[in-house]
Amino acid sequence: MEHINLAPAPRARRPRPQVVSLTDAAAERVREIMARAEKPYAGLRVGVKNGGCAGQEYVLEYAETANPMDEVVQDKEVTILVEPKAVLFLIGTVVDYETSALSSKFVFRNPNETDACGCGESVTIVPQAADEA
């Protein structure tokens, strides 16, 4: 008797959305800073922490090593390490680098952001539902 496999065929996984991306200006600035660093960096770590008048603040730092649970994103020749607890808060975020007469800074454009304080240093972010991610 012939063996018939009744198990359903595995479904193709849909592509995961890229958590964070960089504009050309942001990528260029990150590469410049890392090229001038005295020690090698594994990448740019991005996260969210509690604080500020609106409740949360973005965290941006150069990381010497990747943590085992970091979400690793490659964009424009830059390695971005997203802290695991920040992934649902940051899905779809674009990091830009802006220069004005008074300042130069990285700016987050986050579709999950619902409010920001007047000075722009802190935000309120509603995490994206896991089934939407």
Side-chain angles (χ1 to χ4, degrees):
M1 176 167 214
E2 187 178 326
H3 177 66
I4 299 174
N5 184 359
L6 299 177
R11 288 186 350 188
R13 292 182 60 106
R14 67 182 171 137
R16 293 175 63 182
Q18 185 166 316
V19 178
V20 176
S21 62
L22 302 172
T23 63
D24 290 339
E28 181 179 336
R29 183 65 179 140
V30 170
R31 289 191 304 265
E32 287 172 3
I33 291 170
M34 289 185 166
R36 289 184 297 160
E38 293 179 10
K39 55 187 168 188
Y41 288 113
L44 178 69
R45 178 162 288 116
V46 179
V48 176
K49 70 176 184 176
N50 291 333
C53 32
Q56 295 164 306
E57 298 174 340
Y58 294 110
V59 177
L60 193 64
E61 62 187 12
Y62 298 98
E64 293 180 36
T65 59
N67 294 328
M69 298 301 290
D70 284 342
E71 177 85 16
V72 180
V73 176
Q74 295 290 332
D75 190 31
K76 297 178 180 71
E77 300 176 36
V78 174
T79 300
I80 306 165
L81 308 170
V82 182
E83 296 174 350
K85 66 181 182 179
V87 168
L88 292 178
F89 290 99
L90 296 175
I91 291 175
T93 297
V94 176
V95 180
D96 195 6
Y97 185 74
E98 296 179 347
T99 302
S100 70
L102 298 176
S103 70
S104 296
K105 61 184 176 180
F106 288 98
V107 177
F108 288 74
R109 293 196 176 87
N110 185 342
N112 306 303
E113 198 174 293
T114 60
D115 195 15
C117 67
C119 66
E121 292 296 318
S122 67
V123 294
T124 304
I125 307 170
V126 176
Q128 191 170 82
D131 60 346
E132 294 176 22

